[in-house]
Amino acid sequence: MSSSVLSVHDSLFSGSQLVPEGIASTVADQAQAPVLELSGISKRFQGIVALQDVGFSLRPGEVMALLGENGAGKSTLVKILTGIHQPDEGAIRLGGKTVSFATPQAAIQAGITAVHQETVMFEELTVAENIYIGRQPLRGMPGRIDWQRMQSEAAQLFARLEVELPVTAKVKDLSVAQRHFVEIARALSQQAQVVIMDEPTAALSQREIRELYRIIGQLRASGTAVIFISHKFDEIFAVADRYTVLRDGCFIAAGALADISEPQLVALMVGREVGQVFPHHEIADPEAAPVVLEVEHFSHPTEFHDVSFSLRRGEVIGFYGLVGAGRSELMQALFGLSPAAHGTLRMEGQTLRITSPAQAIAAGIAYVPEDRQHQGVLLSLPIFQNITLPVLSGFGFFLRRHRRREMEISRRLSTQLELKATHFHQQVAQLSGGNQQKVVLAKWLATNPRVIILDEPTKGIDIGSKAAVHRFISELVQQGLAVILVSSELPEVLGMADRVVVMHQGTVQEEFARHEATPELLMAAASGSSQHAPAPCHFSS
């Protein structure tokens, strides 16, 4: 890791604005009896080992970080703990008693519940109804729902959490953070002994992350144990007491976070040193590099206003901002998904009017979306068909030649991206999150773009996959590709971008050269408090 990257890391992880002072506590009293114990847990799927002899213990009021790369076995273990899968071997003890969960409901009733990155709720029902679904309080005969009591008890749960949320609001109208709070309230209503949080901050703003940290502190204080799964090390060191590392389905190590460093954790997770985290290729003479893309006065009626920037060959331009800044909406307009109402777009000097993705692809623009599962891949199709989907029209009608070219392209790009899969006919749905993201990248690189837009390309993927994606981005720009990198992770933006454009409420606040950008300056601009920030825009109707 270069010294410049180290300074970025140190400023972010030792005094980050996201970490409330005093959130991390000491490890729970070691003499206290574990609330949850796993021993010898193994699970196989059609002969493939997903977990092998995994075990750990968790004490009341303790936050344990469950760490590992995508495919390490974390998701399988969570599904076993929540009753979705049953282990082939091993034992689970809850409160000192051996238990088994035939169904998710059995796990919930025993006191284990999960808060997932993507919440599953009844959209048309209210907050209170979602909390008490299937166990609504009844009154009278023949057992009518006591609506007043249900809403009153739901309100008491949020008062306990110190969260203001109307219990009569429909879930469809809630933000991602509010949905997480509903799930936490549901766990409290069920007197959960163990709460599993699986990437809970992936789609949250910084204010919402701070609120979640505070609630985790309340859970800890009440004696509730938390299993915290995240790929973000600032979060892990902020909220967790201990760590457990899995790799390739096996238990690797466990201990107190106070006794280990981030590089040591990374080495345990990936089984090797992840050399330079942010490899970067400097443009020898930035002014001499030809301008590939020019965007002038781009505006949308509701999402962004008067956005201008340029992008040179072999350059990475980063776009940073808080939730609602308009970055993704701007990129979708450049790709023709939601065309801008006003503005000029030029590709290598030629003015373009892009109103559809097909036109963008033909012009040499590729877009890797933030939501890979719903917008990036077709989960039910095999890997090779996903990768070659945008270029099928150029393969001709001869099936044998067609299939040979599909395999050649898939093999080349999969090797470059270090894709881990059983074979190219494997369904994308069977891959880990990090490898799904690599399929999305390969899919758009197959179009040989001149400009590639990467919208949160490392969101929710492990440290090893992140390093592979970062290395590949560096290789792309060395080959002359121009990259737009949209990211909510300050280390990634500061480590990878030649220039950083900061957006706030749909407008460009400031632009920083690589040597000028600091976490403090970017955060100030993103929050609208920069001294040089323009006034907030007023969108036209």
Side-chain angles (χ1 to χ4, degrees):
M1 189 184 295
S2 66
S3 58
S4 62
V5 174
L6 272 173
S7 63
V8 167
H9 172 276
D10 292 342
S11 63
L12 284 170
F13 287 68
S14 59
S16 168
Q17 297 182 27
L18 291 183
V19 183
E21 186 175 357
I23 181 66
S25 71
T26 58
V27 180
D29 183 5
Q30 294 299 312
Q32 195 172 14
V35 63
L36 178 67
E37 295 176 277
L38 277 67
S39 59
I41 298 295
S42 299
K43 183 66 179 178
R44 300 172 184 81
F45 295 98
Q46 298 178 344
I48 298 174
V49 177
L51 292 172
Q52 181 67 43
D53 197 27
V54 170
F56 65 79
S57 64
L58 184 65
R59 291 173 173 80
E62 183 177 63
V63 180
M64 185 195 74
L66 182 60
L67 307 175
E69 292 190 272
N70 291 111
K74 303 187 304 295
S75 296
T76 302
L77 189 59
V78 169
K79 289 177 180 177
I80 287 175
L81 286 173
T82 54
I84 297 173
H85 296 323
Q86 287 71 48
D88 297 328
E89 300 167 12
I92 302 172
R93 284 182 291 277
L94 190 63
K97 298 180 180 179
T98 301
V99 295
S100 61
F101 308 129
T103 64
Q105 189 62 29
I108 291 172
Q109 290 174 349
I112 299 179
T113 189
V115 178
H116 296 285
Q117 176 182 339
E118 297 180 2
T119 58
V120 179
M121 293 187 178
F122 296 92
E123 300 278 321
E124 294 295 332
L125 297 185
T126 67
V127 168
E129 288 171 320
N130 270 275
I131 291 174
Y132 290 99
I133 190 75
R135 52 192 183 89
Q136 299 92 334
L138 306 176
R139 64 180 176 86
M141 295 295 292
R144 291 177 297 175
I145 295 175
D146 190 338
W147 297 102
Q148 184 175 358
R149 178 185 165 194
M150 182 171 67
Q151 292 171 7
S152 174
E153 291 182 358
Q156 291 175 26
L157 292 170
F158 288 113
R160 176 179 166 187
L161 292 171
E162 299 178 15
V163 171
E164 294 184 4
L165 189 59
V167 298
T168 56
K170 288 189 176 181
V171 165
K172 68 177 182 181
D173 298 322
L174 302 183
S175 68
V176 174
Q178 289 172 325
R179 291 173 182 235
H180 285 332
F181 298 154
V182 172
E183 287 201 329
I184 293 171
R186 183 161 58 192
L188 291 177
S189 74
Q190 297 162 335
Q191 298 182 328
Q193 300 179 66
V194 178
V195 175
I196 302 168
M197 295 190 175
D198 190 356
E199 296 285 352
T201 67
L204 303 190
S205 68
Q206 293 172 345
R207 179 185 60 80
E208 291 168 336
I209 291 173
R210 287 194 295 268
E211 186 73 358
L212 181 65
Y213 284 178
R214 182 186 62 77
I215 291 175
I216 292 174
Q218 288 188 333
L219 292 174
R220 170 193 279 127
S222 69
T224 303
V226 177
I227 297 176
F228 190 82
I229 301 173
S230 175
H231 294 302
K232 300 178 182 178
F233 284 97
D234 57 338
E235 295 181 355
I236 291 164
F237 282 96
V239 304
D241 304 305
R242 295 175 55 244
Y243 66 89
T244 295
V245 176
L246 303 182
R247 187 172 73 234
D248 298 329
C250 298
F251 170 86
I252 298 299
L257 277 167
D259 299 332
I260 196 168
S261 67
E262 179 186 333
Q264 289 172 322
L265 277 178
V266 170
L268 289 173
M269 291 167 60
V270 302
R272 63 188 187 280
E273 295 291 338
V274 179
Q276 192 176 4
V277 177
F278 299 114
H280 188 75
H281 171 69
E282 295 283 356
I283 303 177
D285 185 358
E287 297 301 321
V291 174
V292 179
L293 180 70
E294 295 174 274
V295 177
E296 293 181 352
H297 308 297
F298 242 43
S299 295
H300 187 279
T302 59
E303 305 298 342
F304 51 85
H305 177 71
D306 197 28
V307 175
S308 298
F309 68 92
S310 62
L311 179 64
R312 295 181 180 274
R313 183 179 179 185
E315 182 182 36
V316 178
I317 184 170
F319 273 76
Y320 181 73
L322 306 180
V323 174
R327 299 166 302 157
S328 293
E329 292 78 8
L330 171 64
M331 301 308 153
Q332 290 166 6
L334 292 175
F335 193 61
L337 290 170
S338 55
H342 306 287
T344 302
L345 175 66
R346 284 189 289 271
M347 177 70 77
E348 296 181 340
Q350 181 181 356
T351 301
L352 301 175
R353 173 67 174 168
I354 294 178
T355 59
S356 70
Q359 291 177 325
I361 294 169
I365 300 175
Y367 173 59
V368 177
E370 177 181 4
D371 187 348
R372 60 176 172 262
Q373 290 198 341
H374 295 98
Q375 299 175 334
V377 291
L378 296 174
L379 294 172
S380 61
L381 289 184
I383 293 168
F384 77 92
Q385 289 184 349
N386 268 278
I387 291 176
T388 57
L389 192 60
V391 293
L392 284 178
S393 60
F395 284 178
F397 297 101
F398 295 99
L399 183 60
R400 184 175 298 178
R401 185 183 303 171
H402 181 128
R403 184 56 51 85
R404 186 168 60 247
R405 289 195 61 189
E406 281 188 306
M407 289 302 175
E408 288 172 355
I409 292 172
S410 298
R411 186 174 294 106
R412 173 174 57 84
L413 292 173
S414 297
T415 300
Q416 286 181 292
L417 283 164
E418 301 175 18
L419 177 68
K420 294 180 181 178
T422 306
H423 46 71
F424 290 126
H425 288 82
Q426 186 176 2
Q427 285 186 345
V428 174
Q430 298 173 351
L431 301 179
S432 66
N435 285 304
Q436 287 181 1
Q437 184 71 317
K438 292 177 182 179
V439 171
V440 181
L441 283 168
K443 165 186 170 182
W444 289 112
L445 290 171
T447 66
N448 294 316
R450 287 174 286 178
V451 173
I452 185 165
I453 302 169
L454 305 175
D455 195 348
E456 302 285 3
T458 61
K459 175 181 175 181
I461 67 176
D462 59 78
I463 187 70
S465 295
K466 280 186 178 183
V469 171
H470 292 151
R471 285 196 300 271
F472 194 59
I473 292 173
S474 182
E475 291 172 7
L476 293 177
V477 295
Q478 289 183 51
Q479 295 167 12
L481 192 68
V483 176
I484 298 176
L485 173 64
V486 179
S487 178
S488 299
E489 296 192 24
L490 276 170
E492 184 168 69
V493 172
L494 293 166
M496 293 298 299
D498 298 291
R499 290 180 291 128
V500 182
V501 175
V502 183
M503 293 185 66
H504 172 69
Q505 294 183 358
T507 63
V508 172
Q509 292 291 98
E510 289 199 56
E511 181 178 314
F512 299 94
R514 178 181 176 86
H515 67 277
E516 299 172 332
T518 67
E520 293 77 16
L521 287 175
L522 265 60
M523 284 294 298
S527 60
S529 59
S530 172
Q531 294 179 352
H532 306 291
C537 64
H538 298 282
F539 295 117
S540 59
S541 59

